[in-house]
């Protein structure tokens, strides 16, 4: 299957071409063409895999030269981190890159020869699913970025940011290539290299503007993810020296039978995945990533960085089931789901709402993987699919809306359906996909809740119930703002969304609707076999009759914004003037007070900033979860050696 090396190498080559191309029109054309090539290549991979019977395939290569190249590239990455750490006077961060790289290099040069032939590429339902997410969603984000970055650098809001689009697009493609390598690799040494690549790509994207806040936030993301990289490197070397093997599925198999070495390695890699998935106490790096241009936020939140952490935990799920590591992961994920849902309520900035929502939903996926049953993994996979499409759609829509309104504040989106109807409908679809009954996210939450009840994990049941209720609170506020008709200022708003941005948004919306409509088919032909492959059994979480009923309801829900918009076009306004503590100006939007001063009246949501804002809850939550992780890791290690 020659398409696999192509999927990994092609984006890396395009990244180099992008960096060397300084003419915008030529670079844009290359970006469009390359995005199409990546999507087609993913389609070819899926077709080839289906033609081979959709069976698990492990590919073995003579990779001595490739291994040397990867080791050299990892040393180069370490050099980049070290240079930038000293340049920005954060030298201590370089240690988190030097130490694991030195450890891996020592193992590769002086470590034992593997006793068995180690697989290099692993293809199954999960890796194919991840390739589809990375290839399609990631490529659409590239298409969107072409138009967005043009507007970004021609906007008065970003006039002080140096135009380095050649650098930005190079990083996007580098990120895609790293993710393909990450999800298709079976060799833990390869996985470690691509893990480091994703960490450094996110670091460079977050610091794109090179402003002080961006630099500080990028280094926060870097050190948190490199800390996870240290744990990953230790686990790989420990497992390699003990079993003379660096095969991922060998590690999972040994962890399933509770081998002492594998138990510790699984715990270390699971900890590393918590940092990558932005779980407490490491959530702040993803919130800080909001300073980056919108396409990078969409990529980090939907198709790449955080999904890498979820992917690792799903791989480890059979080995974590019923173990202390599983309990730790489930608790941290569930607690993150609940607390960050509270924090999201206190946000009025649209991108920050999406950031806290992402962390929250990732928490539920993490918790499902930690429980490690067939039902919870089924739920986590659907959560991952719906979240990838929905968050990419919403981030892109927020970026387009900000370009038109000059603001991404939820309060400024009052009546967006009547000012920017296309963008409002896309936003409605994205939000509906995140929380409305009976969309996939809600069905998956129900499955996770049922599984938690079945295993009698009362704490996780509490987290899921109250976290889901809280989630509905902040999404409802936002959706209400979008479709509200009253108190519009009447000023026309020009839609500045470019054609390529609109193409990406439209395809995302179609994918969301299609995934909802094809939910039963995807479950039957893809997710159930995946779960069966992992656990030797799969259960029909929902009957086909129930799913068919849900599809009908989905169609009705999607009709709401269209009906609201059409209704607003036909109705005639018959305003009843309200008493407004002064003389009503005639439109219920303003009044003249007793001193003759004109006052504007606005309807606004209440955000509980001083009660449940991130400044109130973040630090205590970080301390608490850090304590939980330290105690549980001590118990895991102590249980092995004592």
């Amino acid at each position: 299957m020659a398409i696999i090396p192509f999927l990994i190498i092609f984006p890396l080559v395009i990244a180099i071409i992008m960096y060397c191309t300084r003419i915008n029109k030529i670079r844009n054309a290359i970006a469009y063409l390359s995005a199409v090539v990546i999507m087609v290549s993913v389609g070819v991979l899926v077709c080839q895999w289906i033609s081979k019977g959709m069976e698990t395939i492990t590919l073995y290569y003579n990779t001595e030269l490739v291994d040397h190249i990867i080791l050299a590239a990892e040393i180069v990455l370490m050099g980049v981190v070290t240079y930038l750490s000293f340049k920005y006077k954060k030298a201590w961060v370089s240690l988190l890159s030097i130490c694991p790289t030195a450890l891996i290099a020592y193992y590769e040069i002086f470590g034992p020869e593997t006793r068995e032939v180690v697989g290099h590429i692993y293809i199954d339902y999960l890796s194919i699913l991840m390739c589809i997410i990375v290839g399609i969603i990631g490529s659409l984000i590239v298409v969107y970025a072409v138009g967005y970055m043009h507007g970004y650098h021609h906007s008065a809001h970003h006039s002080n940011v140096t135009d380095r689009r050649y650098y930005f697009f190079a990083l996007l493609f580098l990120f895609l290539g790293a993710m393909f390598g990450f999800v298709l690799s079976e060799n833990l040494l390869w996985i470690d290299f691509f893990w480091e690549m994703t960490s450094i790509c996110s670091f460079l994207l977050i610091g794109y503007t090179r402003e002080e806040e961006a630099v500080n936030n990028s280094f926060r993301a870097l050190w948190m993810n490199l800390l996870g990289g240290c744990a990953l490197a230790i686990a790989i070397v420990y497992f390699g020296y003990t079993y003379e093997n660096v095969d991922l599925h060998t590690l999972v198999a040994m962890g399933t039978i509770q081998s002492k070495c594998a138990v510790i390695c699984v715990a270390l890699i699971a900890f590393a995945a918590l940092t990558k998935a932005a779980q407490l106490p490491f959530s702040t790096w993803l919130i800080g990533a909001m300073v980056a241009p919108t396409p990078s936020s969409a990529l980090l939140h939907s198709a790449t960085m955080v999904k890498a952490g979820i992917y690792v935990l799903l791989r480890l799920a059979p080995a974590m089931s019923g173990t202390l590591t599983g309990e730790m992961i489930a608790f941290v994920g569930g607690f993150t789901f609940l607390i960050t849902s509270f924090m999201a309520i206190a946000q009025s900035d649209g991108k920050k709402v999406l950031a806290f929502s992402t962390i929250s939903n990732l928490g539920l996926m993490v918790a499902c993987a930690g429980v490690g049953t067939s039902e919870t993994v089924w739920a986590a996979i659907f959560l991952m699919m719906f979240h990838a499409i929905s968050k990419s759609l919403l981030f892109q829509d927020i970026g387009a809306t900000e370009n038109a309104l000059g603001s991404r504040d939820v309060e400024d989106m009052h009546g967006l359906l009547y000012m920017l109807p296309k963008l409002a409908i896309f936003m409605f679809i994205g939000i509906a996909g995140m929380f409305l009954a009976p969309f996939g996210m809600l069905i998956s939450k129900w499955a996770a809740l049922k599984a938690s009840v079945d295993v009698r994990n009362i704490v996780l049941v509490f987290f899921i119930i109250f976290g889901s209720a809280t989630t509905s609170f902040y999404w409802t506020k936002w959706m209400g703002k979008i479709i509200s008709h009253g108190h519009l200022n009447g000023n026309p708003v020009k839609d500045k969304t470019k054609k390529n941005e609109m193409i990406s948004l439209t395809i995302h919306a179609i994918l969301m609707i299609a995934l909802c409509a094809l939910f039963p088919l995807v479950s039957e032909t893809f997710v159930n076999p995946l779960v069966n492959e992992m656990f030797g059994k799969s259960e029909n979480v929902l009957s086909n009759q129930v799913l068919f009923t849900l599809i009908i309801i989905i169609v009705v829900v999607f009709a709401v914004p269209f009906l609201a918009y059409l209704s607003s076009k036909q109705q005639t306004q018959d305003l009843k003037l309200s008493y407004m503590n002064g003389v009503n100006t005639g439109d219920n939007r303003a009044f003249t007070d007793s001193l003759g001063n004109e006052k504007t009246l606005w309807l606004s949501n209440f955000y509980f900033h001083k009660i449940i804002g991130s400044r109130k809850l973040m630090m205590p939550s970080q301390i608490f979860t850090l304590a939980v992780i330290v105690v549980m890791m001590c118990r895991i290690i102590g249980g092995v050696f004592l």
Side-chain angles (χ1 to χ4, degrees):
M1 300 180 75
I3 195 67
I4 294 176
F6 177 82
L7 267 176
I8 300 171
I9 296 172
F10 176 75
L12 304 181
V13 173
I14 295 299
I16 296 172
I17 295 173
M18 283 291 182
Y19 189 83
C20 297
T21 305
R22 304 303 168 95
I23 301 175
N24 289 330
K25 289 185 177 180
I26 296 176
R27 186 175 56 248
N28 294 346
I30 296 173
Y32 289 138
L33 180 60
S34 301
V36 172
V37 169
I38 290 173
M39 286 190 279
V40 171
S41 300
V42 169
V44 171
L45 173 63
V46 174
C47 291
Q48 288 182 351
W49 180 64
I50 292 174
S51 68
K52 293 181 180 293
M54 301 175 73
E55 296 179 350
T56 298
I57 302 172
T58 304
L59 300 179
Y60 302 87
Y61 300 101
N62 182 5
T63 61
E64 184 176 355
L65 177 60
V66 176
D67 291 340
H68 290 323
I69 293 173
I70 287 177
L71 179 58
E74 194 159 359
I75 293 173
V76 170
L77 292 178
M78 178 194 71
V80 171
V81 171
T82 302
Y83 168 74
L84 292 175
S85 297
F86 278 89
K87 178 181 178 180
Y88 289 101
K89 299 180 181 179
K90 300 179 186 294
W92 66 273
V93 176
S94 64
L95 293 175
L96 296 176
S97 180
I98 294 171
C99 292
T101 302
L103 188 62
I104 291 294
Y106 180 86
Y107 176 80
E108 290 205 50
I109 297 172
F110 303 107
E113 294 288 334
T114 55
R115 290 184 298 181
E116 301 174 1
V117 178
V118 177
H120 297 93
I121 300 296
Y122 190 86
I123 308 169
D124 67 345
Y125 288 94
L126 184 55
S127 57
I128 289 292
L129 170 62
M130 290 299 298
C131 283
I132 293 172
I133 292 174
V134 174
I136 295 179
I137 303 301
S139 297
L140 289 174
I141 291 171
V142 169
V143 171
Y144 170 86
V146 173
Y148 178 87
M149 292 304 291
H150 174 81
Y152 181 88
H153 283 291
H154 287 80
S155 169
H157 300 290
H158 308 106
S159 57
N160 60 328
V161 178
T162 304
D163 189 344
R164 296 189 298 152
R165 276 177 276 178
Y166 63 92
Y167 173 82
F168 185 83
F169 281 96
L171 288 175
L172 292 186
F173 280 100
L174 196 63
F175 219 142
L176 295 181
M179 279 301 298
F180 281 125
F182 184 80
V183 302
L184 288 169
S185 294
E186 172 72 352
N187 188 319
L188 285 168
L189 295 172
W190 288 20
I191 289 174
D192 177 76
F193 167 67
F194 290 118
W195 177 287
E196 295 300 305
M197 275 190 69
T198 59
S199 298
I200 293 171
C201 283
S202 65
F203 157 65
L204 296 175
L205 281 171
I206 295 169
Y208 173 74
T209 63
R210 293 189 291 195
E211 296 174 345
E212 184 178 359
E213 182 184 11
V215 170
N216 290 334
N217 290 357
S218 66
F219 272 98
R220 184 191 304 132
L222 181 63
W223 78 257
M224 286 186 176
N225 282 283
L226 289 180
L227 181 64
C230 290
L232 176 63
I234 293 170
I236 292 171
V237 173
Y238 181 36
F239 186 76
Y241 268 103
T242 303
Y243 291 101
E244 297 180 4
N245 191 299
V246 286
D247 185 283
L248 173 61
H249 282 80
T250 299
L251 170 61
V252 175
M254 298 304 294
T256 304
I257 62 174
Q258 295 296 289
S259 162
K260 290 184 178 181
C261 168
V263 166
I264 294 176
C265 293
V266 167
L268 288 171
I269 297 175
F271 167 79
L274 290 180
T275 66
K276 189 73 77 174
Q279 297 299 282
L280 288 169
F282 310 107
S283 301
T284 50
W285 77 258
L286 191 58
I287 300 166
M290 295 300 98
V291 299
T294 295
S296 59
S297 299
L299 197 64
L300 290 172
H301 285 251
S302 63
T304 55
M305 189 72 168
V306 295
K307 292 301 186 295
I310 301 302
Y311 169 79
V312 169
L313 290 173
L314 288 175
R315 285 293 188 206
L316 297 177
M320 293 192 295
S321 180
T323 66
L324 285 175
T325 300
E327 290 179 15
M328 175 184 72
I329 297 300
F331 182 88
V332 171
F335 183 76
T336 301
F337 174 59
L338 175 64
I339 293 299
T340 51
S341 291
F342 276 111
M343 295 184 200
I345 293 176
Q347 307 301 318
S348 62
D349 183 308
K351 285 184 72 173
K352 287 187 177 180
V353 174
L354 296 183
F356 280 103
S357 169
T358 293
I359 298 168
S360 176
N361 283 281
L362 290 171
L364 185 54
M365 297 177 215
V366 168
C368 288
V371 173
T373 66
S374 59
E375 281 184 287
T376 56
V377 169
W378 183 96
I381 292 167
F382 270 111
L383 284 167
M384 183 171 63
M385 286 191 286
F386 275 95
H387 183 267
I389 300 173
S390 181
K391 278 300 164 65
S392 181
L393 172 61
L394 286 171
F395 267 107
Q396 293 181 42
D397 203 312
I398 282 287
T401 302
E402 183 181 9
N403 283 339
L405 297 179
S407 170
R408 61 179 186 234
D409 196 291
V410 172
E411 293 301 317
D412 293 328
M413 297 179 194
H414 189 100
L416 188 69
L417 183 62
Y418 315 102
M419 296 185 293
L420 300 167
K422 293 180 181 178
L423 295 180
I425 289 173
F426 289 139
M427 196 173 292
F428 183 94
I429 292 173
I431 293 175
M434 288 302 299
F435 89 107
L436 271 185
F439 288 80
M441 290 290 285
L442 196 67
I443 295 172
S444 302
K445 289 177 183 177
W446 178 86
L449 178 61
K450 178 179 179 299
S452 300
V453 172
D454 291 342
V455 298
R456 298 184 179 182
N457 191 329
I458 305 303
V459 175
L460 188 55
V461 169
F462 174 87
F463 288 153
I464 294 175
I465 290 174
F466 286 94
S468 298
T470 309
T471 298
S472 300
F473 193 90
Y474 61 78
W475 286 130
T476 303
K477 287 197 302 181
W478 194 342
M479 186 173 285
K481 274 291 178 182
I482 295 172
I483 64 176
S484 296
H485 191 274
H487 294 274
L488 296 177
N489 57 25
N491 297 329
V493 178
K494 183 180 179 181
D495 191 344
K496 299 180 182 179
T497 311
K498 299 186 180 298
K499 289 183 179 179
N500 47 12
E501 296 176 82
M502 192 60 70
I503 289 172
S504 179
L505 289 166
T506 302
I507 295 175
H508 273 84
I510 292 172
L511 287 174
M512 174 60 73
I513 296 171
L515 185 56
C516 291
L518 298 176
F519 195 103
L521 180 63
V522 174
S523 177
E524 185 67 27
T525 62
F526 198 92
V527 181
N528 285 351
L530 168 57
V531 173
N532 184 62
E533 188 177 85
M534 294 178 69
F535 295 94
K537 64 176 182 177
S538 62
E539 301 177 13
N540 288 322
V541 179
L542 297 174
S543 67
N544 290 334
Q545 183 177 0
V546 172
L547 288 171
F548 180 75
T549 304
L550 297 180
I551 291 172
I552 296 175
I553 301 174
I554 286 171
V555 174
V556 174
V557 171
F558 273 133
V560 170
F562 296 97
L563 294 176
Y565 181 68
L566 292 175
S567 174
S568 71
K569 288 291 187 181
Q570 297 173 1
Q571 70 182 7
T572 57
Q573 287 194 342
D574 182 20
L575 292 176
K576 304 297 184 184
L577 298 184
S578 304
Y579 175 71
M580 304 176 71
N581 205 29
V583 179
N584 196 313
T585 59
D587 59 2
N588 282 342
R589 300 190 185 104
F591 65 91
T592 303
D593 65 14
S594 58
L595 298 177
N597 299 318
E598 291 188 0
K599 297 292 181 66
T600 302
L601 180 68
W602 290 100
L603 296 178
S604 174
N605 289 310
F606 189 60
Y607 288 94
F608 307 98
H609 293 291
K610 297 182 179 180
I611 303 174
I612 54 174
S614 56
R615 291 184 179 180
K616 288 287 184 180
L617 296 183
M618 182 59 76
M619 183 61 72
S621 300
Q622 287 178 306
I623 294 172
F624 175 68
T625 48
L626 180 61
V628 169
I629 291 172
V630 170
V631 170
M632 292 299 289
M633 290 295 288
C634 290
R635 287 185 61 191
I636 293 166
I637 295 172
V640 170
F641 290 108
L642 297 181

